[in-house]
Amino acid sequence: MTTFTQLSSGQRPKISIHPDRKLSKINDNIYGGFTEHMGRCIYGGLYDPENANKNLIDENGFRKDVIEAMKELNVPVVRYPGGNFVATYHWLDGVGPQEKRPRRPELAWLGVESNQFGTDEFMKWCEIVGTEPYLALNFGTGTLDEALAWLEYCNSTQDTEYANLRRKNGREEPYNVKYWALGNECWGPWQVEQMTKEDYAKKAYQWAKALKLLDPSITLILCGETGHSTWDFYTLKECVRWDQHALGAGNITASLIDMHSIHIYTASDDPVKNSVAPRSAERAIEICSGLIDLARIENNVPASVPRQTICFDEWNVWDPQRAPGDQGAEERYTLSDALAVAVWLNVFIRQSKYVGMANIAQSVNVISPLMTSKDGLLKQTTWSPLLLFSKYMRGWTIATHVSCESYEGETDPKWLRAAMDTPWLDVSATLNEGGWVSVVVVNVHLRESFGVEMQGLSSRNGTVKVYTVAGKEWDTVNTAGKETIGIEEGEWDAQGEYTFPSLSITMLRWQL
Ligand code: AHR
């Protein structure tokens, strides 16, 4: 939580940090990824066996440079196989001998799916990366039987058909997939088998019951919308309830629904609107957490059932007009987009009490910080904030107060103007187990730097580590061989004010 006092021109900005006020634990899963069968995310991204440059490919056909980047980011969980793709995906097409797998028309992005990469390939990739798989179920053309069979294939140790199929395909031990999503964006008009909220809620609850009967250890994720919609209100009200018959008498510590998924993409052609737009996601989280509480209150869910958290399993900067989905959505990210991504991540830190997982959409090539070519990997501007946050912004969110001037112009979305403050300095702060306080300050102003009095911290050895991502022009992009926007490291002697340059992301780190 960061509180804010609006200053007028000429007043001296201040940021006060309170490491003694630990507010909420940050779930490491906010640094999750997402890989969909879309554009060049899987084929040419994760999996590239045809690449002539054999040094880039491992014995499984996986891109080694992508695996290294995922390891560097320390990505804890990766969602798969979609996205919109999942609404017509039959998982059985993607297991067993590769030469026998069917090629099928693909209706989300209007391509052809070869099924050369499927469940076992994804699980192997996750094991190599050291990340946890998160699977989304087909709520479009899929059946409950198919979903149960997939869960059995992945998690069962019994002597049953699909567990045995997994063994036959070379995997004796279960994969123990914990996270399962009950569909994806089922509300969207672009979706195969788009649903009404009434139809979805009824189906999701019944599927949840069956899935948890088969494996009560899984975490089930309801398909929400933006967090601030009637769909979210209704589906939470219908599905976040406690039904003792659903889970066996006396079981009052579990619930069928554990998390609620929401998606938001932000973007604007105006660089300041673009950088402050993720504040709309902050309001969405606040509203959605209220809707979760409302459902629990009205449905008399006992306090012994853990509070459902938000699974923000698609977020990023994306303008689908600029980078259309059916053309692979290969966004070229600017410095302004890097600032926006840092504000997005500040939002997750400030709202860590409510966010159980967040997944940048997507991990490779499709609206991604990482772009492969046949010769190597480009790290776009948005890579740097993601890396800095994932490395250092873990542990606890701590209380922070910012006093500065703010951007008062129009916003994108328009409703944000009345709903949230948009200070020029967007700030969050954490305290980790090693006693390090990390503060991220994003200065979204195009021209003005701000000298700021930093209050409340003194470091053990008198110096503060500094990491800066900055540039002169908001539209600077990184290109192959010229990654202009990156991380600069330095130190500050903690004397006087710290000056945050225009168009910059600054991380300051104190060891207490
Ligand atoms: O991430 C790209 C697409 O955006 C996903 O497939 C879909 O869920 C969303 O609309």
Side-chain angles (χ1 to χ4, degrees):
M1 167 71 79
T2 299
T3 49
F4 172 62
T5 300
Q6 162 92 48
L7 297 186
S8 39
S9 169
Q11 288 184 293
R12 195 175 176 208
K14 275 186 216 140
I15 297 177
S16 40
I17 316 287
H18 303 269
D20 51 328
R21 296 193 202 158
K22 293 197 316 194
L23 299 180
S24 46
K25 190 94 181 67
I26 298 160
N27 194 315
D28 286 342
N29 282 351
I30 64 169
Y31 300 115
F34 170 36
T35 54
E36 175 169 6
H37 286 248
M38 173 180 177
R40 296 193 305 123
C41 181
I42 300 293
Y43 302 108
L46 267 59
Y47 185 67
D48 199 11
E50 309 301 329
N51 193 318
N53 189 343
K54 293 298 168 211
N55 291 333
L56 288 175
I57 311 301
D58 75 4
E59 64 280 13
N60 305 294
F62 300 156
R63 287 286 296 229
K64 290 197 264 190
D65 46 5
V66 171
I67 287 171
E68 283 318 306
M70 291 291 122
K71 285 184 177 171
E72 193 182 355
L73 274 184
N74 196 6
V75 177
V77 59
V78 178
R79 180 174 180 245
Y80 174 83
N84 297 341
F85 170 80
V86 81
T88 58
Y89 181 60
H90 299 289
W91 68 272
L92 270 169
D93 289 347
V95 297
Q98 281 173 309
E99 64 283 4
K100 293 201 176 143
R101 298 187 194 172
R103 290 174 62 79
R104 295 209 192 271
E106 194 288 301
L107 300 185
W109 309 111
L110 302 180
V112 171
E113 175 53 48
S114 69
N115 284 304
Q116 292 303 291
F117 188 97
T119 304
D120 296 295
E121 288 78 20
F122 179 65
M123 296 299 161
K124 164 132 324 142
W125 184 83
C126 286
E127 278 175 2
I128 294 171
V129 167
T131 193
E132 194 164 357
Y134 161 19
L135 297 179
L137 295 167
N138 177 353
F139 261 53
T141 60
T143 63
L144 176 54
D145 270 344
E146 231 180 310
L148 289 166
W150 202 12
L151 177 58
E152 181 193 327
Y153 184 89
C154 291
N155 288 4
S156 175
T157 52
Q158 290 183 305
D159 176 13
T160 52
E161 182 176 349
Y162 294 103
N164 286 335
L165 180 62
R166 181 193 70 233
R167 294 183 184 102
K168 187 173 158 210
N169 289 339
R171 172 75 185 202
E172 179 59 37
E173 295 305 315
Y175 291 118
N176 293 323
V177 178
K178 179 173 173 191
Y179 298 103
W180 294 82
L182 297 160
N184 169 73
E185 295 187 356
C186 301
W187 44 270
W190 49 86
Q191 216 58 241
V192 171
E193 279 282 327
Q194 179 193 2
M195 280 182 223
T196 63
K197 58 187 186 314
E198 291 81 8
D199 286 347
Y200 174 77
K202 191 170 169 209
K203 176 165 162 175
Y205 194 79
Q206 294 307 320
W207 279 42
K209 182 167 54 179
L211 290 158
K212 285 227 168 160
L213 285 170
L214 180 60
D215 184 351
S217 73
I218 59 174
T219 293
L220 280 180
I221 299 159
L222 193 66
C223 171
E225 192 180 335
T226 53
H228 54 75
S229 73
T230 310
W231 174 284
D232 295 289
F233 168 75
Y234 183 87
T235 56
L236 282 164
K237 176 74 201 306
E238 288 303 302
C239 298
V240 171
R241 49 191 156 105
W242 175 65
D243 174 355
Q244 76 173 29
H245 301 292
L247 287 169
N251 186 349
I252 57 160
T253 56
S255 64
L256 291 182
I257 302 300
D258 305 289
M259 302 179 88
H260 184 72
S261 145
I262 60 176
H263 295 172
I264 292 179
Y265 293 96
T266 58
S268 173
D269 291 338
D270 175 286
V272 178
K273 288 188 197 172
N274 186 48
S275 309
V276 301
R279 295 296 299 244
S280 60
E282 184 148 22
R283 191 69 185 127
I285 292 169
E286 291 170 346
I287 293 169
C288 189
S289 60
L291 295 179
I292 290 172
D293 282 346
L294 183 63
R296 291 175 62 99
I297 293 165
E298 294 204 337
N299 293 335
N300 295 311
V301 176
S304 52
V305 174
R307 190 163 186 268
Q308 287 72 15
T309 55
I310 294 168
C311 180
F312 218 126
D313 54 14
E314 286 186 33
W315 69 268
N316 205 345
V317 177
W318 181 26
D319 177 351
Q321 313 295 320
R322 193 165 62 194
D326 57 4
Q327 290 168 33
E330 300 205 358
E331 279 273 22
R332 302 307 307 271
Y333 287 118
T334 63
L335 173 60
S336 169
D337 297 326
L339 265 51
V341 162
V343 173
W344 263 107
L345 293 163
N346 270 348
V347 167
F348 295 137
I349 297 298
R350 291 192 288 258
Q351 300 297 328
S352 63
K353 181 172 179 186
Y354 305 113
V355 184
M357 190 194 296
N359 308 69
I360 189 167
Q362 299 187 1
S363 292
V364 193
N365 289 334
V366 176
I367 39 174
S368 173
L370 291 176
M371 303 296 291
T372 62
S373 68
K374 59 180 177 26
D375 305 314
L377 190 65
L378 167 70
K379 289 175 173 160
Q380 298 221 62
T381 59
T382 53
W383 163 264
S384 296
L386 197 59
L387 181 65
L388 278 178
F389 272 80
S390 178
K391 265 181 138 164
Y392 301 121
M393 297 297 272
R394 298 192 186 233
W396 289 81
T397 301
I398 55 176
T400 304
H401 187 78
V402 183
S403 305
C404 67
E405 291 174 56
S406 63
Y407 167 68
E408 290 173 60
E410 279 188 6
T411 56
D412 214 337
K414 287 203 184 332
W415 60 259
L416 174 60
R417 179 66 296 140
M420 300 292 274
D421 295 313
T422 49
W424 289 117
L425 302 176
D426 190 278
V427 184
S428 76
T430 60
L431 171 67
N432 76 8
E433 304 300 338
W436 284 87
V437 169
S438 303
V439 180
V440 172
V441 179
V442 188
N443 179 359
V444 299
H445 204 294
L446 298 184
R447 288 171 304 279
E448 232 181 285
S449 57
F450 295 99
V452 178
E453 186 187 334
M454 302 296 294
Q455 299 178 328
L457 293 169
S458 62
S459 82
R460 193 184 288 180
N461 61 8
T463 59
V464 176
K465 286 193 181 297
V466 181
Y467 302 84
T468 311
V469 179
K472 292 271 169 274
E473 307 295 334
W474 67 266
D475 54 357
T476 307
V477 295
N478 288 350
T479 51
K482 199 164 172 241
E483 293 184 1
T484 315
I485 304 297
I487 300 169
E488 283 189 20
E489 294 189 26
E491 275 193 357
W492 176 44
D493 62 7
Q495 301 298 307
E497 296 176 339
Y498 190 89
T499 299
F500 296 99
S502 58
L503 288 172
S504 68
I505 303 161
T506 308
M507 176 182 281
L508 300 176
R509 302 193 75 221
W510 284 256
Q511 180 154 40
L512 301 183

